[in-house]
Amino acid sequence: MAPQSTALLGLAKTNLREQAVTALRAAITSGDLPPSSPLVETELSELLQISRGTLREALRQLQQEGLVSAGARGRLSVRHLDSKEIRDIFAVRAALEALAVRELAENPDRAELVDTLRRALEVMDAAGDDLEARIEADLDFHRHLSRLTGNETLVHSWSSLEGSIRMSIMFAGLDRAVGNMDVGKHSAIVDAIETGDANEASTAIESHMRWASANLIG
């Protein structure tokens, strides 16, 4: 039986597919639908109060994002990652975000970019104990690193990992995951960018990714 999460109870009758995607994504990222949970169409369509056709469209999108996987006979479940996959995800993230922070640090007009990143950290800090808000604020900070470079290929590459990044949050449980969302650790990255030292900035993000990966895997 699917969990009675408030994120999964009822939707307005507009943009139902997108609302279903958002609700299911939040339930997966927060752990309401934990890794390996079967996704039963009859239960989920009833909880979300949408047709099974609309639900299938939403699940297809989540499968493309890497949050949902297909098993025997096409049965869908919440994706489960192993420790090797977590290490691989963080290795690729480290490479992409190291490139991003190098470009930001080398930008002569980086003061405005730094201000944007500090505002993102304020949002993370303001989230407090609201887990869903904190997760989204953390993702938004790292998303900003890529977007602020103006490098569309970099943005696309990072975005293609977002589903896997969300799944990695749940790998070792919420307590460890929240430890990766520490504002102070992220402030050190912004401070390094502000110095204009590209090497220092890339070292800061690589250190953060190594620590975050090790924290999740244990």
Side-chain angles (χ1 to χ4, degrees), residues 117-130 133-135 137-138 141 181-184 186-187:
L117 291 171
R118 294 207 186 280
R119 287 194 296 271
L121 290 180
E122 289 172 3
V123 173
M124 190 188 301
D125 191 41
D129 295 329
D130 184 333
R134 196 168 187 84
I135 289 170
D138 177 77
F141 172 84
M181 302 172 196
D182 179 75
V183 173
H186 289 75
S187 286

Side-chain angles (χ1 to χ4, degrees), residues 25-127:
R25 188 189 288 128
I28 291 170
T29 305
S30 67
D32 284 338
L33 287 171
S36 301
S37 296
L39 299 171
V40 181
E41 287 185 5
T42 51
E43 295 176 359
L44 290 173
S45 60
E46 182 178 347
L47 283 170
L48 293 166
Q49 299 178 23
I50 57 175
S51 71
R52 290 173 70 177
T54 300
L55 176 65
R56 286 189 196 108
E57 291 177 3
L59 291 173
R60 274 196 295 271
Q61 179 170 334
L62 293 173
Q63 192 173 0
Q64 291 171 353
E65 292 180 8
L67 293 171
V68 169
S69 59
R73 298 180 182 177
R75 291 174 180 155
L76 298 179
S77 61
V78 177
R79 183 181 174 197
H80 172 77
L81 299 175
D82 61 29
S83 57
K84 180 183 183 303
E85 288 174 304
I86 296 290
R87 284 192 291 269
D88 290 346
I89 289 164
F90 275 90
V92 175
R93 281 190 69 184
L96 291 173
E97 294 188 28
L99 172 59
V101 298
R102 289 188 72 88
E103 291 193 15
L104 296 179
E106 291 171 348
N107 189 322
D109 300 320
R110 64 185 172 278
E112 185 175 346
L113 308 179
V114 167
D115 286 345
T116 299
L117 291 171
R118 294 207 186 280
R119 287 194 296 271
L121 290 180
E122 289 172 3
V123 173
M124 190 188 301
D125 191 41

